[in-house]
Amino acid sequence: MESINASKGLLNFSKNNFLSDCTVFLKSSNNYIPCHKVILASASKYLKSIFENEKEFPLKTVNNYNGVIELPEVLDVNPNNSNSVNYDNIERTFELFLKYAYSNQRFELIESNITFENVFKVLRLSSLLESEELNEYLANHISKNKLLNEKNCCISLKETFPLKNQHLIEKCIELIKENFGNSLLSSTERDSLLCLPFEIFKRIMESDDLVVNTEIDCCSLILDYIKKRILIKDEIKVTNKDKVTN
């Protein structure tokens, strides 16, 4: 009970500027959020390291906000549409992190707000901020609450792999192998398979326990994957050529 009351007390500090000694700047929404170093440092190794090195790299004052920290953008991929890629307005995602940090890192206070639509945004942000406990909570939440299933395992693997969360990666791969035939039926899931790194795609396709409908389906997917790789290489060549020209 005392812990809950203490958490509520800290949450009140997050809702006003009282005793704030730093500011987080969210570029995508042009929003300045007054915060408290000790709270942020307790929940994030990344932010803690910034505060520890202030003497060498002092934080600036911007628009009358002291100690401004600009967070890197979080690339947003809509889980329901793998082709929908843009720079996410991370304000709502960061608000969830703040609620977690200011509630004495009690995950249960934000758990009801975590859905499949936002879980990978929060996971990307917590990975960026090096919030290891939050990463672990999120991974367990995904497994425990069945946010990960046969209908989204491919896009979940695509989202999870860059974050190097081995527990979730293995969970996704197992689901893909068990439901491989069904995964190919969804264009979104198929597109996600085509975007996987080669070593992961190769591992899945070479698995002895891969459940397939027909060999033709596998051959078709492999051909599409090769075409995708060639297309990406061509795009990189064009981009590099433009850079040299400019």
Side-chain angles (χ1 to χ4, degrees), residues 48-63:
K48 182 182 178 184
S49 68
I50 289 178
F51 300 140
E52 287 176 337
N53 291 287
E54 268 195 90
K55 287 186 178 180
E56 189 175 355
F57 303 103
L59 299 176
K60 297 178 181 179
T61 297
V62 181
N63 295 335

Side-chain angles (χ1 to χ4, degrees), residues 104-234:
N104 201 25
Q105 298 170 51
R106 295 173 61 88
F107 182 72
E108 61 266 30
L109 293 185
I110 68 167
E111 191 168 11
S112 62
N113 301 118
I114 302 297
T115 65
F116 183 71
E117 281 66 33
N118 68 18
V119 67
F120 290 108
K121 296 178 187 179
V122 182
L123 196 53
R124 281 196 295 275
L125 181 61
S126 67
S127 297
L128 168 72
L129 296 178
E130 298 176 39
S131 182
E132 293 174 359
E133 284 193 10
L134 182 54
N135 275 348
E136 189 174 337
Y137 282 134
L138 289 166
N140 290 335
H141 178 79
I142 290 171
S143 300
K144 184 177 71 175
N145 291 280
K146 298 182 180 178
L147 295 184
L148 178 63
N149 56 53
E150 68 277 3
K151 294 181 180 179
N152 61 36
C153 50
C154 296
I155 193 167
S156 296
L157 178 57
K158 176 189 170 186
E159 286 283 276
T160 302
F161 184 78
L163 305 176
K164 303 188 186 304
N165 189 308
Q166 203 58 38
H167 171 73
L168 283 181
I169 289 173
E170 295 303 324
K171 194 87 173 174
C172 290
I173 289 175
E174 286 306 310
L175 272 173
I176 290 172
K177 290 192 295 185
E178 291 170 8
N179 301 277
F180 187 76
N182 295 330
S183 297
L184 295 178
L185 297 177
S186 162
S187 60
T188 300
E189 286 291 277
R190 186 184 179 89
D191 288 346
S192 298
L193 276 173
L194 298 179
C195 293
L196 292 176
F198 175 72
E199 64 269 24
I200 294 293
F201 182 82
K202 181 172 178 285
R203 177 183 164 187
I204 292 170
M205 299 305 295
E206 289 181 344
S207 299
D208 293 331
D209 52 348
L210 186 67
V211 179
V212 299
N213 292 334
T214 67
E215 290 186 2
I216 293 176
D217 288 338
C218 287
C219 293
S220 173
L221 182 68
I222 292 170
L223 283 173
D224 286 345
Y225 186 84
I226 294 170
K227 290 177 184 177
K228 182 86 172 180
R229 296 295 97 186
I230 293 172
L231 181 63
I232 290 173
K233 283 186 177 181
D234 288 343

Side-chain angles (χ1 to χ4, degrees), residues 85-99:
V85 181
N86 52 63
Y87 281 100
D88 179 33
N89 179 328
I90 67 170
E91 192 162 345
R92 290 182 182 177
T93 307
F94 188 69
E95 283 175 1
L96 284 174
F97 171 77
L98 280 185
K99 187 174 181 180

